[in-house]
Amino acid sequence: MLESLQFIYAPQIVNGLSIGVAVVLMALGLTIIFGLLDVINMSHGEFYAAGAFISVSLMAMGVSFWFCLLLVPMILVPIGFAMERLLIQKVFHYKDRHILTLLLTFGVAMVLEDAYKIIWGANPIKPSAPISGASELLGVMFPNYRLFLMGFGALLIFSVWALIYKTQLGAIVRASAFDKDMSSSLGIPVMRVYALTFALGVALAGLAGVLLAPIYSVFPTMGRDFILMAFSVVIVGGLGSIKGAVIAGILLTQLQSISSLYISPVWSDPLVFTVMVLVLMFKPSGLYGGMKNA
Amino acid sequence: MHNPQVKAIRFIELFLLSSALVLYIAGSIFEDTFFLRLATEALIFGGLAMSVDLLLGIVGLLSLGQAFYFGFGAYLSALVLKEISPSFFLAIGIVTLSSILLGWIASFIALRSKGVYFALITFGLAQVAAKVVYNTRSLGASDGMMGVPILQIWTPFGSIDTSHPGAFFLITLLTIGVLYAVLKYFLTTPMGSIWHAIRCNEDRLAYVGYKSKGPKQVAFILATVVAAVSGALYPMLRGFVSPELMFFSVSGNAVVTVVLGGVGTLIGPILGSVLLTSFKSIIGTWTVHHHIVIGIIFVVIVVSAPKGLAGLLAKYLGKNHTSKEGE
């Protein structure tokens, strides 16, 4: 009993947690973009892939992994900013902007995915882990990189939360989301704030890509597979809620990793999606719906 | 009729019907298989797109999981043809009846929410279904089901079989045509007006004394039937079904088709499907990366002409019309 707990469950839980942290990072970007801008970003997964691909290329050029962690978001911020300004704001004033922005980002995702195939090829690339070795905890070996991923991810998630809820900048962002007209009459450049918020979400997805590249391989459709999980997390947690994304992210990835022990790995995805559908049916606002009570 | 939208629809209908007949005659003379089969496939996926348009363009509900019902029809039809009897009418009949039931059940789940949540719930439902089919051994799992027999279809002009590309093209054209006519008929009924009202302002409807729940359910079930019957034709054309038919890319493609052709016109999606399929086949001869081109066109259409090709045509016809009036 104790042995199975130690050698079977503990590694599975740690694996689940390290993926959970990355999923939360993705979901965080999605939920910020929805909570503040009312945009369902279907291309979020492709920005996650962008982060992974750019880091692979940078590392091939000799840039160290640690520098990539800084450089990739810096590359993605202007791209996200430009996309919001040039495309999303074009359809932002229509009545059915929910659907139009969803369609628009869906189109962008299509273009990006094919662009990756052209630039990097369809074959998976596997970068080596920047931290090698494993540490022993309670008699079980855990890969050091996964331990780092959990610590660093938790730090990032905390920083994003603090940025939005504890700083002046965050107050400006929340004010712009809450009342666009009032904020702009107070002199806040609302449109620029929106574009920056979108860029921040996109940069977070890219960062998740850099962090997960050494664990999974990097390939053009990687975003599509991962975004489904991130969407489920955002829905279960409540669209727009940071707290919800964190809690749901950890719950769902644990559900995924524990159920793959008990049932079979092939059934863990349908299980997660079933939870998502059930939540949508009975509590569409999720566990902690709405940015306002996050 | 001076309404440019109606004129545009009429124009597209005539254009599609005449090009279908030209294709059929040319295909029969040159004994072509490839283009007739391609056109058949375009019609089948056009049917799927039409079901997306019924929900999105008429009622204002974006479904991101219509491939579920399409795949359901395809799998069920393949099962009937293989296990029970290779009969066209039996397969279509069983698919129609079961999809009414499936649509009715799914509507209770999906219609609990609207807007973005409706999009996500249909997406989630389809994901679950696709994964279940993908993992089920008895449905062929990831390999799908092969060996759907060639069937004899009884018509007043004699019996024809699905291996004949021209004949099956006509059968498909007729089936999709019937689905189109049924949907168009519904639009002329009071139910059609309520759908239109739901899209414009659902909350307001309650003040005027109408319930939106029932009509929405009818639309959802109808869309399910249209998608499933279109799907039922697929194994007859290709001889196999695969779980890819239920994947998100199929649903997504249908949405792209609708937006490209023209939201809310019902005929636009068929036009979009014909154009997209021919486009893919033309570009496909020199590059595998047709998605990038289609994606760019799609993005441009969403940003600059949200009503698609039918909308552009209506705008052009409207302009012509007013300039004549002005003379």
Side-chain angles (χ1 to χ4, degrees):
Chain A
M1 175 63 205
L2 193 67
E3 283 202 333
S4 74
L5 198 67
Q6 188 180 8
F7 294 108
I8 298 174
Y9 289 102
Q12 199 70 9
I13 288 172
V14 169
N15 276 351
L17 269 180
S18 58
I19 296 165
V21 165
V23 170
V24 172
L25 277 180
M26 282 276 283
L28 218 53
L30 270 180
T31 215
I32 289 172
I33 291 174
F34 181 84
L36 300 170
L37 307 178
D38 256 7
V39 171
I40 292 274
N41 184 16
M42 295 295 279
S43 60
H44 209 66
E46 277 59 40
F47 285 107
Y48 158 75
F53 272 121
I54 295 172
S55 77
V56 164
S57 286
L58 285 174
M59 282 193 275
M61 284 189 268
V63 180
S64 85
F65 174 82
W66 310 107
F67 198 50
C68 281
L69 279 182
L70 191 70
L71 209 55
V72 168
M74 280 169 64
I75 295 172
L76 284 177
V77 163
I79 296 176
F81 190 89
M83 177 178 157
E84 214 278 344
R85 270 260 137 124
L86 300 176
L87 292 177
I88 294 178
Q89 283 188 9
K90 288 262 194 289
V91 294
F92 209 71
H93 302 290
Y94 288 107
K95 192 187 68 151
D96 43 1
R97 68 153 186 268
H98 272 135
I99 288 173
L100 280 176
T101 50
L102 200 158
L103 291 174
L104 185 63
T105 50
F106 178 70
V108 170
M110 258 173 93
V111 174
L112 286 179
E113 204 184 289
D114 232 25
Y116 300 155
K117 277 185 202 153
I118 294 171
I119 302 172
W120 284 285
N123 294 329
I125 309 166
K126 177 124 180 156
S128 54
I131 305 177
S132 53
S135 307
E136 197 187 298
L137 271 178
L138 303 163
V140 188
M141 301 297 276
F142 293 109
N144 280 338
Y145 184 69
R146 292 206 180 228
L147 295 176
F148 156 76
L149 183 60
M150 280 156 50
F152 185 70
L155 186 72
L156 267 178
I157 293 163
F158 176 77
S159 320
V160 170
W161 172 82
L163 176 73
I164 292 184
Y165 287 99
K166 297 290 163 205
T167 64
Q168 173 99 41
L169 194 69
I172 290 175
V173 169
R174 280 180 293 139
S176 314
F178 187 71
D179 191 333
K180 191 176 96 197
D181 299 328
M182 181 59 93
S183 309
S184 81
S185 54
L186 288 173
I188 295 174
V190 174
M191 285 314 174
R192 207 181 305 157
V193 171
Y194 281 0
L196 265 177
T197 313
F198 187 84
L200 173 72
V202 160
L204 276 174
L207 207 53
V210 182
L211 286 168
L212 276 192
I215 295 184
Y216 298 113
S217 301
V218 183
F219 49 97
T221 55
M222 64 190 287
R224 203 200 290 168
D225 305 334
F226 207 54
I227 188 91
L228 303 176
M229 187 70 194
F231 262 127
S232 313
V233 164
V234 169
I235 290 162
V236 172
L239 274 169
S241 159
I242 291 183
K243 190 162 121 195
V246 173
I247 292 174
I250 295 192
L251 281 180
L252 283 185
T253 44
Q254 283 304 320
L255 176 73
Q256 199 181 27
S257 63
I258 301 292
S259 70
S260 61
L261 270 185
Y262 271 106
I263 314 167
S264 143
V266 294
W267 289 107
S268 61
D269 274 1
L271 194 66
V272 169
F273 295 135
T274 307
V275 171
M276 172 182 103
V277 170
L278 287 175
V279 168
L280 272 171
M281 276 175 70
F282 296 107
K283 201 167 184 305
S285 56
L287 296 174
Y288 302 92
M291 196 75 181
K292 281 93 208 171
N293 44 22
Chain B
M1 274 294 180
H2 294 295
N3 185 344
Q5 163 101 1
V6 175
K7 267 170 129 182
I9 291 176
R10 190 62 38 86
F11 180 82
I12 296 172
E13 281 170 356
L14 283 173
F15 170 73
L16 283 175
L17 195 61
S18 46
S19 27
L21 294 177
V22 167
L23 182 75
Y24 170 71
I25 294 165
S28 315
I29 294 172
F30 298 111
E31 290 188 346
D32 166 77
T33 329
F34 178 75
F35 284 107
L36 278 173
R37 295 228 168 241
L38 197 68
T40 314
E41 191 169 305
L43 279 176
I44 291 176
F45 282 102
L48 170 66
M50 197 160 69
S51 87
V52 171
D53 191 30
L54 170 65
L55 290 173
L56 175 64
I58 311 291
V59 197
L61 295 163
L62 171 61
S63 165
L64 289 180
Q66 217 57 17
F68 172 19
Y69 312 106
F70 184 78
F72 170 80
Y75 267 89
L76 189 60
S77 151
L79 276 175
V80 170
L81 296 174
K82 270 182 80 172
E83 309 293 335
I84 303 177
S85 149
S87 154
F88 175 79
F89 293 103
L90 183 73
I92 296 288
I94 289 183
V95 166
T96 308
L97 291 179
S98 333
S99 58
I100 290 176
L101 187 68
L102 176 71
W104 186 67
I105 297 169
S107 73
F108 281 107
I109 301 173
L111 288 176
R112 291 180 74 104
S113 47
K114 39 185 174 178
V116 169
Y117 293 100
F118 177 83
L120 292 172
I121 205 166
T122 47
F123 167 76
L125 268 178
Q127 274 312 311
V128 175
K131 290 271 180 184
V132 167
V133 170
Y134 191 82
N135 291 334
T136 304
R137 273 266 131 242
S138 56
L139 288 176
S142 56
D143 298 330
M145 276 193 295
M146 307 219 238
V148 176
I150 292 166
L151 25 141
Q152 300 290 321
I153 301 170
W154 181 86
T155 66
F157 312 103
S159 168
I160 50 176
D161 68 75
T162 50
S163 66
H164 189 282
F168 189 61
F169 173 68
L170 285 187
I171 294 284
T172 307
L173 184 68
L174 202 67
T175 313
I176 301 293
V178 167
L179 294 175
Y180 177 70
V182 168
L183 292 186
K184 271 207 100 166
Y185 166 74
F186 264 92
L187 290 187
T188 62
T189 62
M191 179 86 77
S193 316
I194 296 181
W195 288 342
H196 185 71
I198 291 173
R199 197 191 54 198
C200 292
N201 194 337
E202 190 179 344
D203 299 328
R204 204 94 172 257
L205 209 62
Y207 301 137
V208 201
Y210 286 101
K211 284 197 173 112
S212 63
K213 199 169 161 261
K216 265 164 90 175
Q217 212 164 12
V218 173
F220 191 92
I221 295 170
L222 261 177
T224 306
V225 173
V226 170
V229 171
S230 309
L233 297 169
Y234 188 85
M236 301 176 191
L237 173 72
R238 292 281 172 225
F240 71 93
V241 282
S242 69
E244 273 95 51
L245 289 178
M246 289 181 132
F247 283 0
F248 175 63
S249 49
V250 174
S251 303
N253 236 328
V255 175
V256 171
T257 310
V258 170
V259 173
L260 200 69
V263 178
T265 58
L266 292 182
I267 196 72
I270 311 268
L271 175 70
S273 182
V274 168
L275 289 177
L276 268 185
T277 311
S278 12
F279 192 67
K280 270 181 197 161
S281 141
I282 294 165
I283 294 192
T285 54
W286 48 274
T287 170
V288 290
H289 303 290
H290 52 254
H291 274 124
I292 198 163
V293 185
I294 293 169
I296 291 171
I297 296 174
F298 178 72
V299 167
V300 169
I301 293 241
V302 171
V303 170
S304 58
K307 292 217 151 100
L309 293 174
L312 286 179
L313 187 65
K315 214 169 164 184
Y316 173 75
L317 290 174
K319 226 180 242 162
N320 263 5
H321 180 69
T322 44
S323 64
K324 266 181 209 148
E325 293 272 283
E327 275 167 15

